[in-house]
Structures are given as structure tokens and as C-alpha cells.
Amino acid sequence: MADTHSLEALVQALRRLPGVGIKSAQRMAFHLLQHDREGAQFLAQALQQAASQVCHCSLCHTFTEQDVCATCADARRDRSKLCVVETPADQSAVERTAAYRGLYFVLMGKLSPLDGIGPRDIGLQKLFDRATDGTVHEVILATNFTAEGEATAHVIGEALRARGLRVTRLARGVPAGSELEYVDLGTIAHALVDRR
Amino acid sequence: MADTHSLEALVQALRRLPGVGIKSAQRMAFHLLQHDREGAQFLAQALQQAASQVCHCSLCHTFTEQDVCATCADARRDRSKLCVVETPADQSAVERTAAYRGLYFVLMGKLSPLDGIGPRDIGLQKLFDRATDGTVHEVILATNFTAEGEATAHVIGEALRARGLRVTRLARGVPAGSELEYVDLGTIAHALVDRR
């Protein structure tokens, strides 16, 4: 296939997507070119549109097409609470619970020294400025319960407590609907310690 | 994220890729917008370029940007042999063996009555015309050894033998480097029947 430079280029471009190897990229290229050229054009336009239009909310750092995102601009939200999450997907998981009416700060990442991601890369100074602007009374740390998420929560928690803020963390415990027999021991131990 | 229409559109467009669900699409969109906007632009261009440039070889039906692909145009290839494969990826697997110097016919699919894919959808008439043009003496069926690939080989083989052509099929047998203990019984049975 020496004369199919644009096919080769497409396979290489698809390989830059996370979780896509050479076989998947070839399968995707074959599918698009053989069965869904409209989908290829549609994806090309969506990529260009998103790459040129989507920026970060100046308040919470999430993806938006305005200067301030719809959540931050919503006057009905409780401005005294700030929930810190890693990604827009985590934010939308919290939103779907309908159990939180405060505002968010989206780190767009997590502290990960092994990958060279430090406090500056996830905009911690911006978070500290935002949290100490006088309107925020409580910061809820909702980073993931992974090693890196916990470390990120720890660093942020220490820094904000030192500035006199009330800092809380999502409760650890047994997931709803689960049977103790099948829950891992670390989770049960945490649920025992945090019992209420 | 009600104000991020272009992000939503990007996620929907990514879901049209084979094997990509909603979570993967969100992860891809996040990665491209947060860490690799250059990759997003690169992919958009590659998609547009490929969708507009790549067509089918008028002889073997594979993807090419010319009227006739480089393999079909290569004067050093043995024009008396025609190897029938399902996809360009299969063709390139046969090419990498360096054990075949004839030409190819790429079906760009396989017979699959359950999915409504019949002889017309995979260009069988074109294959029959090509195989009976007088220069081809042997047709090697190299469709996959799946139920659909076997059925496709059967249909093509019957039709071409009726036209008086020599038709062969890739040998079935024990894969190189494998131990009998771990090879499935159907494969061993075929290897016994086809022993030489």
C-alpha cells in the first residue's frame, strides 16, 4: 500500500488517540473509508470546531466555549461551596447525583510526580486564589480515591487548611447495593473507621 | 456542560468509530482538548484528506489514491496468480510473508447474509470478470478461516471452478511454533486430513 499516503497518515493520526494501537487504528480507518465517509467528514469538522472553540472557564477551569461556564454563571448555585474534581467527567458524575448545588473547580488532571505533573500543571495557584476570595466557606475534595487522587487531595487540603478554610473530603465507605462479602478489605476498614 | 456544544459534538462523532463507546469517546475528547490539540488538528486534516483522496483500485478493489494501485501496476508481479483476501490488512499480512509474488483481489468485506451483505456488496461480479480475463491461471482463496470467511471462499470457489479455473485455498493446519497440546481439536483434525 505504498501509494496510499493519506491512508497511512490517517492511521498514524488515529494512533494518537488514547487506547488506540496500530490494529485498532487500521480497523477504524478501514471502517470510516469503506462504510462511513460521512462519519469521517463529520468527525473532522467536530475536531476542528472543538479544537478552535473550546477553552477553559476563567473561574473553574473546566471546558467551555464562553469566558465563564454555565455552571459558574448560574446565579442559583451556592457560592459558598467549592467542589474540587479531577476532570469534567468527574464533575458531571457529581452533577448527576443532584445532591450538590455549589460550584466546582476542575483540576483537569492530578498531581503525578512520576509523570512530571506538579502543582503548576494542574493550576493549584488558581484554585488557592479562588478558594480564598472570601465567598467560599467550604472546599469539598472530590478527587478520585486512587493513590494520585488521594495525594492531590492531601496537598490541596493541607494548603487550604493553612489558609484557614474548612476542607472536607468525600466519604469513603461501602458502595450502595454491595454485599460485604465481595467488598475489598481496605474499603471495609475505612467504612469501620468512618462509621457514624 | 450545557454550553459546550462543540465538545458534545466531538464526543458523538468519536462514538461513530468502531469499538468506541461513550466513556472512551469522552476520554479521547478530553485527551485531545487538554493535552493534544495539535493531534486533533492533525487528525481532522488526515480524515478530510483520506475521505476525499482514497478511492478503490479499478483492478483489485483495494484502497488507493490512483486509478490502479501500486501492486497491480507493478510489472514484476506474476499476473497468472490472483489471491483473494477480505481486507487491505489481510493483503498486507500476506505481503509481509514475502512468499507470494502474484496479484490480489480485495473483497473489502465478506459474505454475511445475517448482516444483509450479499455477492453484490463485495463486488463478486468484478472478481469473476477479473479472474476470467485470460491472464489468470490460479485463484488462491485467502479469506479468513471464520464461518463467514469459509462461506465466502466456498461461494467464490464454486463459481470460479464452474468457469474452468484452478482454485486453491490456504492450507489449514497447526500454526508454526505451537505445541499440539494447546492447539484446538478442529485444527489438529484438519492438519491430519490435509497431511502431506
Side-chain angles (χ1 to χ4, degrees):
Chain A
M1 295 195 288
D3 59 333
T4 50
H5 296 298
S6 47
L7 181 60
E8 275 305 304
L10 176 57
V11 170
Q12 291 307 319
L14 285 165
R15 287 192 65 182
R16 286 175 80 150
L17 294 171
V20 176
I22 177 76
K23 295 273 178 195
S24 303
Q26 283 173 341
R27 197 159 49 94
M28 287 172 175
F30 177 79
H31 174 81
L32 288 175
L33 292 176
Q34 185 65 12
H35 301 298
D36 195 10
R37 294 220 178 192
E38 190 195 60
Q41 296 283 10
F42 187 56
L43 178 54
Q45 279 154 26
L47 282 162
Q48 282 177 328
Q49 177 83 4
S52 63
Q53 297 292 311
V54 174
C55 51
H56 292 102
C57 171
S58 59
L59 288 176
C60 77
H61 222 204
T62 194
F63 288 134
T64 179
E65 288 171 52
Q66 275 86 48
D67 178 47
V68 172
C69 75
T71 310
C72 286
D74 187 344
R76 291 163 302 176
R77 315 270 323 192
D78 178 357
R79 279 160 200 280
S80 68
K81 291 193 176 64
L82 194 65
C83 179
V84 178
V85 292
E86 290 181 17
T87 65
D90 296 336
Q91 178 187 10
S92 109
V94 177
E95 274 295 281
R96 284 199 301 276
T97 66
Y100 179 70
R101 294 300 299 161
L103 293 179
Y104 292 91
F105 190 90
V106 185
L107 298 170
M108 304 304 268
K110 53 188 178 266
L111 287 180
S112 180
L114 290 179
D115 300 321
I117 297 171
R120 214 168 281 181
D121 301 294
I122 58 172
L124 285 197
Q125 189 53 51
K126 206 167 157 186
L127 166 60
F128 298 156
D129 293 347
R130 174 89 192 278
T132 54
D133 66 357
T135 59
V136 176
H137 295 134
E138 179 182 357
V139 174
I140 301 161
L141 300 175
T143 55
N144 290 324
F145 286 77
T146 58
E148 289 163 337
E150 292 277 22
T152 306
H154 180 77
V155 168
I156 296 172
E158 291 291 296
L160 290 181
R161 282 192 196 95
R163 287 165 168 83
L165 272 156
R166 180 164 182 241
V167 180
T168 55
R169 179 89 169 106
L170 283 194
R172 280 177 297 208
V174 181
S178 61
E179 299 179 55
L180 280 190
E181 186 184 352
Y182 300 107
V183 172
D184 71 294
L185 299 184
T187 300
I188 297 181
H190 278 306
L192 272 171
V193 172
D194 293 351
R195 70 187 181 277
R196 58 193 185 95
Chain B
M1 296 195 286
D3 59 330
T4 50
H5 297 299
S6 47
L7 180 60
E8 274 305 302
L10 175 58
V11 170
Q12 290 308 318
L14 285 165
R15 288 192 63 183
R16 287 174 81 149
L17 294 171
V20 175
I22 176 77
K23 296 271 177 195
S24 303
Q26 284 174 340
R27 196 159 49 95
M28 288 172 173
F30 177 78
H31 173 81
L32 288 174
L33 293 175
Q34 185 65 16
H35 301 296
D36 194 12
R37 294 219 179 194
E38 190 195 60
Q41 296 283 10
F42 187 56
L43 178 55
Q45 279 155 25
L47 282 163
Q48 281 177 329
Q49 178 83 4
S52 64
Q53 297 292 313
V54 175
C55 51
H56 292 102
C57 171
S58 60
L59 290 176
C60 77
H61 221 205
T62 194
F63 288 135
T64 178
E65 288 170 52
Q66 274 88 48
D67 178 46
V68 172
C69 75
T71 309
C72 286
D74 187 345
R76 292 163 301 175
R77 314 270 323 194
D78 178 358
R79 280 160 200 281
S80 69
K81 291 192 178 64
L82 193 66
C83 180
V84 179
V85 293
E86 292 181 17
T87 64
D90 296 336
Q91 178 187 8
S92 109
V94 177
E95 275 295 282
R96 283 199 301 275
T97 66
Y100 179 70
R101 294 299 301 161
L103 292 179
Y104 292 91
F105 190 90
V106 186
L107 298 170
M108 305 302 270
K110 52 188 178 267
L111 288 179
S112 181
L114 289 179
D115 300 322
I117 297 171
R120 212 169 283 181
D121 301 297
I122 58 173
L124 285 197
Q125 191 52 53
K126 205 166 158 188
L127 165 61
F128 298 156
D129 295 346
R130 175 87 190 278
T132 55
D133 66 357
T135 58
V136 177
H137 296 135
E138 178 183 358
V139 174
I140 301 160
L141 301 176
T143 55
N144 290 323
F145 286 78
T146 58
E148 290 161 338
E150 292 277 23
T152 307
H154 180 78
V155 168
I156 296 172
E158 291 292 296
L160 291 181
R161 281 192 199 96
R163 287 165 169 82
L165 273 155
R166 179 164 183 243
V167 180
T168 55
R169 178 90 169 106
L170 283 193
R172 277 176 299 207
V174 181
S178 60
E179 300 179 56
L180 282 191
E181 186 183 353
Y182 300 108
V183 173
D184 71 292
L185 299 184
T187 299
I188 296 179
H190 278 304
L192 271 170
V193 172
D194 294 350
R195 69 185 180 278
R196 58 197 184 95

